[in-house]
Amino acid sequence: MASQGRNNLVVPQATAALQQLKVEAAQELGVTIPQDGYYGNYTSRETGSLGGYITKRLVQIAEQQLSGRSNL
C-alpha cells in the first residue's frame, strides 16, 4: 500500500501537476522515487534535497504568476 502524505492539498486538482513536479525534481537530482511511496530507505539528504528543490520550483512558479508572466 502506498504511503499517503499527511498534507491535504488546498487544490486537489493540482495532484497530477505536483506529482509531475516531483518526478522532474527527482530526475534532476538523480533520486529514484520509490514505487511503493515509502521513503524510509532514503537518507535525509536525499529527501531534503528533493523537498527543497520542489519548494524552490513552486516559489519560482508563484513569482512568475504574480509578476504576470505565465511562461513556466
Side-chain angles (χ1 to χ4, degrees), residues 1 3 6 16 21 27 33 39-41 49-51 59 62 65-66:
M1 178 168 118
S3 172
R6 289 184 223 149
L21 184 59
Q27 288 174 343
I33 294 179
Y39 286 89
N41 297 323
S49 64
L50 186 56
V59 169
Q65 289 180 348
L66 290 171

Side-chain angles (χ1 to χ4, degrees), residues 1-4 35-38:
M1 178 168 118
S3 172
Q4 297 296 319
Q35 294 296 320
D36 61 1
Y38 177 69

Side-chain angles (χ1 to χ4, degrees), residues 48-66:
S49 64
L50 186 56
Y53 185 91
I54 291 170
T55 301
K56 179 180 173 182
R57 282 291 297 136
L58 289 172
V59 169
Q60 288 173 343
I61 291 167
E63 287 175 344
Q64 289 173 348
Q65 289 180 348
L66 290 171

